[in-house]
Amino acid sequence: MAWTSIIAIYSLFWVLSAFIILPFGIKSHTEAGVEMVKGQADGAPVNFRPLRTILLTTVLATVLFLLFYFNYTHEWITAEDIDIFGSSERLEQLQ
């Protein structure tokens, strides 16, 4: 696998992981019992911690990418394993 492919695939895993991590641990003003500032959105978070989010996102993305990479190199699960319609050879055998 080319290093450019590794960077591109890891970036995709990182963005996906960011969307997975973002909602965890966030409290709104009503949940935290804090008064809202005029003009603030109702769902605006009170306790957003970007460094924690970046760290957790990086850890999750790294784990997911390593699973992907090891599956790619060791071929644990291949396209033939998830072929839900069956291969053309199998269809010929059934006829």
Side-chain angles (χ1 to χ4, degrees):
M1 181 182 297
W3 65 272
T4 53
S5 298
I6 290 174
I7 291 172
I9 294 169
Y10 181 80
S11 299
L12 290 173
F13 275 113
W14 198 92
V15 170
L16 174 71
S17 299
F19 282 109
I20 292 171
I21 294 293
L22 274 173
F24 291 104
I26 299 295
K27 292 184 180 180
S28 66
H29 292 276
T30 56
E31 294 172 340
V34 177
E35 189 173 327
M36 290 180 56
V37 178
K38 184 178 179 180
Q40 190 171 21
D42 293 334
V46 174
N47 61 339
F48 180 65
R49 297 180 293 188
L51 293 178
R52 178 182 174 268
T53 303
I54 290 170
L55 176 68
L56 290 175
T57 299
T58 303
V59 168
L60 181 60
T62 303
V63 169
L64 292 175
F65 177 77
L66 287 174
L67 284 172
F68 169 80
Y69 185 76
F70 286 134
N71 182 56
Y72 178 80
T73 57
H74 297 294
E75 297 180 347
W76 295 327
I77 300 173
T78 62
E80 290 81 25
D81 294 332
I82 56 174
D83 185 13
I84 59 172
F85 298 113
S87 65
S88 59
E89 293 174 4
R90 184 174 171 162
L91 290 175
E92 290 174 6
Q93 290 175 354
L94 293 175
Q95 293 177 352

